[in-house]
């Protein structure tokens, strides 16, 4: 309802249609079309169509359609909008069909639109819009379709009053007029009439047209084929061929009627066999091939010599199945086909773009594959029409193929299930494998840790000093020393060799002792006292003497080994753990967990310190850049401030100078006026004698005084203007000072942040603010 005031009554306009009004109207119509566009979901489109009817929008647009003085582009868009509003909606279509024009004789609005469509004087876009409106009126409208067909039948034609024309007569007149555009538009409109009902197609076969010369009437289909054969206009042929394709589709009687026309099949074959290089001519040849394919597909074998098998054989012999199908395939390759397929509205701008319509494109998409199947396999057509029965061998072959296909489907399902099972097992095994790898790696890590701890324990046990040896001097703090010299290395190696030899000798002696009988055990856990001389003399056994000697040697060797161990331990303590240049890769294995954690913490602290230093350097660089930018802004503001101060001083000086000059000029003028006044007063007697009245002199004085007062007023206004400009300059100076103070505060904050992160700020930067205060 909010759109109604915008639409208004176009006949009540007093000022015509200006450019702005035309633009507003076009935008409103486009808005309505967006709501009811056929590309929207069906439920939304139907709701919007119903709402537009209930609110009166459709009625207002119908008044615009019947009004006079409407611009062509507005009228075209209004017709397209009405077409979208009534498309597929029977209520809106009934209301549209009831609208009549206020003229004599009374005519329905549909007849007026058809008159405009077949009139070659009308604009091309307007005629295309009328076609879309007629198609929308006939779309899913059985009542409208039947009314047009009935208007063409003989019994209905007699009832039409003289001087009146029906919609069917206008369409037939447009089909066979001399205007190719009218032929194409009327063909598409008639195709829309009969496209949705096979009964309407059969009724149209009864339409008879009068011929010239008093010949017998000719049916509409025969007349159309005759025009196609003898008319050289490409646009006319394209329109009528589309009409024939829509007519014969799913209508075997129309196919029989077409095949009975003399020369029709030969003409179609000649067009199919021709080799054209123009894209539009290729589409025309493709339409002929498609029409012949429809005649094969819906042939009921009632025409002798032109049955399904006969036509397929003719195509294979004269054209070839591949060439025939290639001709049909040329239709969707054209740009006009893809353009028409996208929208039911005709979107052509010239006659060269009138190729095919959306209705034919939809029909072609639905029957193209079926025609291809008929040409490739002849028996398919017989199955579709039900005129033949399959023989036993063919039936058995079909059943065998069906069984084979079912078996293949079962096998494919089994393979798919097995593949899914194998895939699940593979994923489980993969997960198990990853888990085992993780456990293995964990065990390896634990083993390495245990080995390191064992080595550390063994090393610490071996390094313990024996109680007989003097305590080892304290180990100096670990530090990186110079690597040992060659002499020290050789000495260390020799000591190691001596120790090894002594250990071997000790092991040999222990083995020999174990072979001899053990000495008597000590009593009460204490060693026996030394034997006296008398007792020693009694010990004359040579084996006891040998054992005693071996024990003495063993004690000596043990003491020597202890001494060497102490020397070796001293050398180890003096040597560094590792040099800075070379480090043992197994060193970490002999460290305790606490030592490793301490080293890690130390490394982390050093790394953290290094990162903090880098961050401080980055912040410092960033703050330096920001400080430089602030300095530049401050210098710029200072320059602007100095400029404003100079302008302010100049304005003050100029205003003072002007005021002084104006006052001096006024004073001089005042003196001049006073002088003139004195002269007038002195000359008043003389002027009286000469016939000049004192009143005239007073008027002259008053006039001069008023002139001076006007000049004074203008000078005062100039002075006020100068004061206002001065105040503006002062306010601008205050704004600049505020901006300068804000920048100073920002610089102070940045310097404070720099000092917080221990970044030094130079003294020159500290004194910048003081210098700025001195300047201001």
């Amino acid at each position: 309802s909010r759109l109604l005031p915008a639409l208004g009554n176009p006949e009540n306009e007093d000022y015509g249609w200006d450019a702005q009004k035309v633009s507003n109207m076009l935008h409103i119509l486009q808005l309505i079309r967006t709501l009811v566009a056929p590309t929207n979901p069906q439920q939304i489109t139907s709701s919007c169509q119903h709402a537009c009817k209930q609110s009166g929008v459709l009625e207002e647009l119908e008044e615009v359609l019947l009004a006079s003085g409407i611009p062509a582009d507005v009228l075209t868009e209004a017709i397209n909008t009405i077409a979208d509003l009534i498309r597929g909606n029977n209520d809106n279509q009934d209301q549209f069909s009831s609208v009549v024009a206020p003229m004599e004789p009374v005519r329905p609005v549909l007849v007026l639109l058809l008159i405009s469509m077949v009139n070659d004087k009308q604009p091309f876009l307007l005629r295309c819009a009328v076609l879309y409106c007629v198609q929308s009126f006939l779309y899913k409208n059985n009542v409208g379709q039947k009314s047009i067909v009935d208007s063409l039948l003989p019994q209905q034609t007699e009832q039409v009053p003289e001087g009146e024309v029906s919609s069917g007569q206008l369409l037939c007149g447009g089909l066979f007029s001399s205007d190719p555009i009218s032929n194409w538009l009327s063909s598409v409109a008639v195709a829309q009439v009969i496209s949705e009902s096979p009964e309407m197609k059969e009724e149209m076969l009864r339409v008879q047209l009068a011929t010239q010369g008093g010949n017998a009437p000719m049916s509409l289909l025969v007349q159309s084929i005759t025009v196609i054969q003898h008319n050289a206009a490409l646009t006319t042929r394209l329109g009528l061929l589309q009409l024939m394709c829509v007519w014969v589709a799913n209508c075997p009687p129309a196919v029989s009627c077409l095949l009975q026309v003399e020369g029709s099949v030969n003409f179609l074959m000649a067009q199919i066999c021709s080799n054209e290089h123009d894209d539009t001519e290729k589409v025309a040849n493709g339409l002929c091939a498609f029409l012949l394919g429809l005649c094969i597909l819906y042939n009921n074998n009632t025409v002798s010599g032109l049955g399904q098998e006969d036509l397929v054989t003719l195509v294979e012999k004269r054209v070839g199945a591949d060439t025939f199908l290639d001709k049909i395939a040329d239709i969707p390759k054209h740009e006009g086909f893809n353009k028409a397929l996208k929208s039911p509205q005709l979107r052509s701008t010239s006659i060269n773009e009138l190729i095919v319509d959306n209705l034919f494109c939809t029909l072609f998409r639905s029957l193209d594959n079926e025609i291809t199947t008929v040409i490739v396999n002849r028996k398919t057509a017989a199955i579709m029409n039900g005129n033949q029965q399959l023989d036993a061998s063919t039936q058995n072959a079909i059943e065998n193929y069906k069984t084979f296909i079912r078996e293949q489907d079962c096998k494919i399902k089994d393979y798919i299930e097995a593949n899914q099972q194998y895939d699940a097992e593979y994923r489980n095994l993969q997960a198990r494998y990853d888990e085992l790898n993780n456990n293995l790696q964990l065990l390896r890590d634990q083993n390495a840790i245990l080995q390191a701890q064992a080595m550390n324990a063994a090393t610490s046990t071996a390094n313990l000093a024996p109680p007989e040896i003097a305590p080892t001097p304290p180990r100096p703090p670990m530090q990186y020393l110079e690597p040992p010299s060659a002499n020290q290395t050789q000495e260390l190696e020799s000591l190691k060799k001596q120790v090894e030899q002594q250990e071997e000798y000790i092991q040999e002696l222990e083995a020999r002792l174990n072979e001899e009988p053990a000495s008597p055990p000590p009593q009460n856990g204490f060693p026996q006292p030394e034997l006296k001389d008398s007792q020693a003399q009694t010990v004359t056994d040579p084996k006891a003497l040998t054992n005693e000697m071996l024990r003495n040697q063993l004690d000596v060797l043990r003491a020597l080994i202890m001494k060497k161990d102490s020397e070796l331990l001293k050398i180890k303590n003096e040597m560094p753990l590792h040099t800075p240049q070379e480090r043992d890769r197994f060193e970490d294995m002999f460290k305790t967990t606490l030592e490793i954690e301490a080293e890690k913490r130390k490394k982390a602290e050093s790394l953290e310190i290094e990162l903090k230093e880098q961050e401080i350097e980055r912040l410092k660089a960033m703050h330096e850049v920001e400080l430089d930018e602030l300095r530049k802004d401050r210098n710029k503001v200072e320059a602007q401030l100095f400029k404003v101060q100079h302008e302010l001083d100049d304005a003050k000086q100029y205003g003072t100078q002007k005021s002084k000059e104006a006052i001096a000029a006024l004073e001089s003028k005042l003196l001049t006026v006073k002088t003139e006044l004195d002269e007038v007063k002195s000359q008043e007697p003389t002027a009286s004698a000469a016939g000049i009245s004192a009143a005239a002199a007073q008027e002259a004085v008053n006039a001069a005084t008023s002139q001076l007062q006007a000049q004074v007023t203008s000078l005062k206004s100039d002075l006020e203007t100068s004061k206002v400009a001065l105040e503006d300059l002062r306010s601008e100076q205050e704004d600049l000072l505020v901006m300068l103070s804000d920048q100073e505060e920002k610089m102070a904050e940045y310097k404070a942040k720099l000092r917080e992160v221990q970044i030094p700020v130079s003294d020159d930067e500290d004194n910048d603010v003081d210098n700025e205060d001195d300047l201001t």
Side-chain angles (χ1 to χ4, degrees):
S1 60
R2 296 182 180 180
L3 297 175
L4 293 179
L7 296 174
N9 190 354
E11 293 184 351
N12 297 334
E13 297 294 337
D14 299 331
Y15 302 101
W17 290 78
D18 55 0
Q20 185 60 47
K21 182 180 178 182
V22 171
S23 177
N24 295 341
M25 190 67 174
L26 291 176
H27 282 86
I28 293 172
L29 295 176
Q30 190 63 40
L31 174 61
I32 299 173
R33 294 193 65 188
T34 303
L35 296 174
V36 296
T39 54
N40 294 340
Q42 181 62 34
Q43 185 177 2
I44 296 176
T45 303
S46 300
S47 300
C48 294
Q49 288 175 341
H50 180 71
C52 289
K53 179 189 175 185
Q54 295 295 327
S55 60
V57 173
L58 178 60
E59 185 177 356
E60 289 292 338
L61 290 175
E62 291 168 351
E63 292 183 2
V64 172
L65 184 63
L66 298 175
S68 59
I70 306 297
D73 49 354
V74 175
L75 183 59
T76 302
E77 192 65 20
I79 294 173
N80 288 326
T81 305
I82 293 175
D84 286 336
L85 285 171
I86 66 175
R87 183 176 180 83
N89 191 306
N90 296 130
D91 294 337
N92 293 358
Q93 290 169 348
D94 294 340
Q95 179 182 344
F96 178 76
S97 62
S98 63
V99 178
V100 294
M103 58 171 40
E104 292 294 336
V106 177
R107 291 178 177 175
V109 66
L110 181 62
V111 174
L112 294 179
L113 291 176
L114 290 175
I115 292 174
S116 300
M117 186 183 74
V118 298
N119 187 0
D120 57 355
K121 304 298 183 182
Q122 295 293 338
F124 178 77
L125 295 179
L126 178 63
R127 300 172 72 181
C128 294
V130 171
L131 173 63
Y132 179 53
C133 186
V134 173
Q135 287 179 307
S136 298
F137 171 73
L138 297 173
Y139 181 69
K140 294 183 179 180
N141 186 4
N142 296 329
V143 177
Q145 296 169 4
K146 190 175 185 304
S147 63
I148 293 178
V149 174
D150 291 342
S151 65
L152 293 172
L153 295 177
Q155 61 270 21
Q156 294 293 334
T157 305
E158 297 175 357
Q159 299 177 3
V160 177
E162 185 178 358
E164 292 186 7
V165 291
S166 63
S167 56
Q169 293 174 348
L170 291 172
L171 289 175
C172 289
L175 279 175
F176 308 114
S177 67
S178 59
D179 181 22
I181 298 177
S182 298
N183 301 149
W184 194 93
L185 298 177
S186 300
S187 299
V188 173
V190 174
Q192 184 67 51
V193 173
I194 62 176
S195 62
E196 300 176 5
S197 174
E199 292 78 10
M200 293 295 175
K201 295 178 182 180
E202 295 180 4
E203 287 292 325
M204 286 291 288
L205 293 175
R206 297 171 51 201
V207 176
Q208 301 290 325
L209 300 178
T211 57
Q212 297 179 355
N215 296 325
M218 186 180 299
S219 67
L220 179 61
L221 188 144
V222 175
Q223 182 67 21
S224 300
I225 292 296
T226 304
V227 172
I228 292 174
Q229 293 177 1
H230 300 91
N231 196 320
L234 180 60
T235 304
T236 302
R237 284 189 285 128
L238 289 174
L240 291 175
L241 284 172
Q242 291 181 77
L243 173 60
M244 291 295 102
C245 291
V246 175
W247 201 338
V248 300
N250 199 21
C251 185
V255 173
S256 301
C257 183
L258 174 62
L259 295 177
Q260 291 175 0
V261 177
E262 184 179 359
S264 60
V265 176
N266 294 330
F267 171 77
L268 294 176
M269 293 299 299
Q271 293 294 316
I272 296 170
C273 294
S274 64
N275 294 321
E276 300 292 343
H277 300 287
D278 184 64
D279 292 339
T280 308
E281 288 288 350
K282 289 182 179 179
V283 174
N285 297 338
L287 288 174
C288 293
F290 185 69
L291 178 58
L292 186 58
L294 292 175
C295 292
I296 297 173
L297 184 63
Y298 296 103
N299 196 328
N300 55 5
N301 298 323
T302 58
V303 181
S304 176
L306 295 176
Q308 292 179 350
E309 294 293 332
D310 299 330
L311 292 178
V312 173
T313 303
L314 182 64
V315 168
E316 291 178 350
K317 289 183 178 180
R318 293 188 57 181
V319 182
D322 295 336
T323 304
F324 182 80
L325 296 178
D326 290 339
K327 291 291 184 178
I328 297 177
D330 288 337
I331 299 175
K333 293 179 181 179
H334 197 277
E335 182 182 1
F337 182 89
N338 298 324
K339 186 177 180 181
L341 187 62
K342 294 178 181 179
S343 173
Q345 180 184 358
L346 180 64
R347 299 186 182 276
S348 301
T349 57
S350 64
I351 186 176
N352 296 326
E353 298 181 5
L354 295 177
I355 307 298
V356 291
D357 183 65
N358 178 264
L359 176 64
F360 172 79
C361 295
T362 306
L363 177 68
F364 181 85
R365 286 296 187 188
S366 62
L367 299 178
D368 180 26
N369 293 331
E370 296 183 6
I371 293 176
T372 303
T373 305
V374 169
I375 299 300
V376 174
N377 186 5
R378 299 184 183 184
K379 295 183 180 180
T380 307
I383 294 172
M384 292 179 61
N385 290 301
N387 295 326
Q388 296 181 3
Q389 297 293 332
L390 295 175
D391 54 4
S393 59
T394 305
Q395 188 68 30
N396 293 332
I398 292 175
E399 292 296 331
N400 293 333
Y401 277 119
K402 288 181 180 180
T403 305
F404 177 74
I405 291 171
R406 293 191 190 97
E407 293 176 356
Q408 294 295 325
D409 289 339
C410 295
K411 290 181 179 180
I412 290 172
K413 290 180 181 179
D414 295 338
Y415 291 151
I416 291 173
E417 293 177 357
N419 186 22
Q420 291 176 354
Q421 293 178 358
Y422 291 150
D423 187 35
E425 293 178 359
Y426 171 76
R427 291 179 181 176
N428 295 332
L429 292 175
Q430 186 69 27
R432 182 61 179 167
Y433 175 75
D434 296 338
E435 183 181 357
L436 292 176
N437 277 340
N438 295 332
N439 294 335
L440 180 60
Q441 186 63 33
L442 180 61
L443 292 174
R444 286 176 179 174
D445 296 339
Q446 292 177 357
N447 187 24
I449 293 172
L450 293 174
Q451 289 180 357
Q453 292 177 356
M455 294 293 291
N456 288 334
T459 305
S460 61
T461 305
N463 290 336
L464 292 175
E468 291 84 358
I469 300 176
T472 305
R475 181 178 179 179
M478 183 180 64
Q479 56 184 354
Y480 293 103
L481 302 176
E482 296 295 332
S485 62
N487 295 330
Q488 292 178 350
T489 305
Q490 292 177 1
E491 183 179 358
L492 182 61
E493 293 294 333
S494 63
L495 289 173
K496 287 182 178 180
K497 290 180 180 179
Q498 292 178 9
V499 171
E500 291 176 357
Q501 291 175 1
Q502 291 176 1
E503 288 179 352
E504 292 177 357
Y505 185 63
I506 289 171
Q507 291 176 359
E508 183 180 357
L509 291 176
E510 289 178 349
R512 291 172 61 183
L513 287 174
N514 291 331
E515 293 177 358
E516 299 293 335
S519 59
Q523 298 178 0
N524 300 327
F526 295 98
Q528 295 292 332
E530 295 183 357
L531 296 174
K532 297 182 179 180
D533 295 337
S534 59
Q535 294 174 349
Q537 292 177 357
T538 59
V539 182
T540 58
D541 190 1
K543 290 184 178 181
L545 293 174
T546 304
N547 292 338
E548 186 67 25
M549 182 180 63
L550 290 175
R551 287 191 182 93
N552 293 333
Q553 291 179 359
L554 182 60
D555 292 337
V556 173
L557 290 174
R558 283 178 177 173
L560 182 60
I561 289 173
M562 299 284 286
K563 182 179 179 182
K564 295 295 183 182
D565 286 339
S566 63
E567 292 178 359
L568 183 61
L569 183 60
K570 182 178 180 181
I571 292 172
K572 285 184 178 180
N573 292 332
E574 292 177 356
M575 291 179 64
L577 293 177
H578 58 80
T579 61
Q581 293 82 7
E582 182 179 3
R583 181 174 178 178
D584 189 2
R585 63 190 179 91
F586 297 104
E587 181 180 355
D588 291 340
M589 295 179 63
F590 303 102
K591 292 182 181 180
T592 62
T593 305
L594 295 177
E595 291 177 350
I596 294 174
E597 292 296 331
E599 289 184 359
K600 287 183 179 180
R601 285 196 297 271
K602 187 176 181 181
K603 290 181 181 179
E605 290 175 358
S606 62
L607 180 60
E608 184 177 0
I609 292 172
E610 184 178 357
L611 291 176
K612 286 183 178 180
E613 291 177 354
Q614 293 178 358
E615 183 67 17
I616 289 172
E617 291 295 332
R618 187 182 66 82
L619 291 175
K620 182 178 179 181
M622 184 176 66
H623 288 306
E624 288 292 338
V625 173
E626 293 180 354
L627 286 175
D628 292 338
E629 293 179 356
L630 288 174
R631 290 193 190 98
K632 292 179 181 179
D633 295 339
R634 182 192 63 191
N635 296 333
K636 185 177 179 180
V637 172
E638 287 178 354
Q640 293 179 357
L641 182 60
F642 288 142
K643 182 178 179 181
V644 171
Q645 286 180 349
H646 288 307
E647 291 179 355
L648 184 61
D649 294 338
D650 293 340
K652 288 180 179 178
Q653 185 178 359
Y654 177 76
T656 306
Q657 184 177 358
K658 285 290 185 180
S659 299
K660 290 180 180 180
E661 291 177 357
I663 291 170
L666 289 174
E667 289 177 352
S668 62
K669 289 183 179 181
L670 185 59
L671 292 174
T672 304
V673 171
K674 287 180 179 179
T675 305
E676 292 178 356
L677 184 59
D678 294 337
E679 291 178 358
V680 169
K681 289 180 178 180
S682 63
Q683 293 177 1
E684 183 176 356
T686 307
S688 300
I692 299 174
S693 63
Q698 187 65 30
E699 289 178 358
V701 172
N702 293 335
T705 304
S706 61
Q707 184 177 3
L708 291 175
Q709 289 178 353
Q711 293 178 358
V712 170
T713 303
S714 63
L715 289 174
K716 287 182 179 180
S717 64
D718 294 338
L719 183 60
E720 292 295 332
T721 304
S722 300
K723 289 181 180 180
V724 172
L726 183 61
E727 291 296 331
D728 293 338
L729 291 173
R730 286 178 179 172
S731 63
E732 185 175 357
Q733 183 183 10
E734 291 177 356
D735 295 337
L736 291 174
L737 289 174
V738 172
M739 292 173 60
L740 186 60
S741 63
D742 293 338
Q743 290 186 353
E744 290 173 358
E745 291 178 359
K746 289 182 180 179
M747 290 182 66
E749 291 177 359
Y750 283 125
K751 289 176 182 178
K753 291 181 180 179
L754 291 174
R755 292 191 183 95
E756 289 177 1
V757 296
Q758 297 179 358
I759 297 176
V761 181
S762 60
D763 297 335
D764 296 335
E765 294 175 350
D766 291 335
N767 295 331
D768 284 341
V769 179
D770 298 335
N771 295 334
E772 292 165 4
D773 295 338
D774 296 337
L775 290 173
T776 56

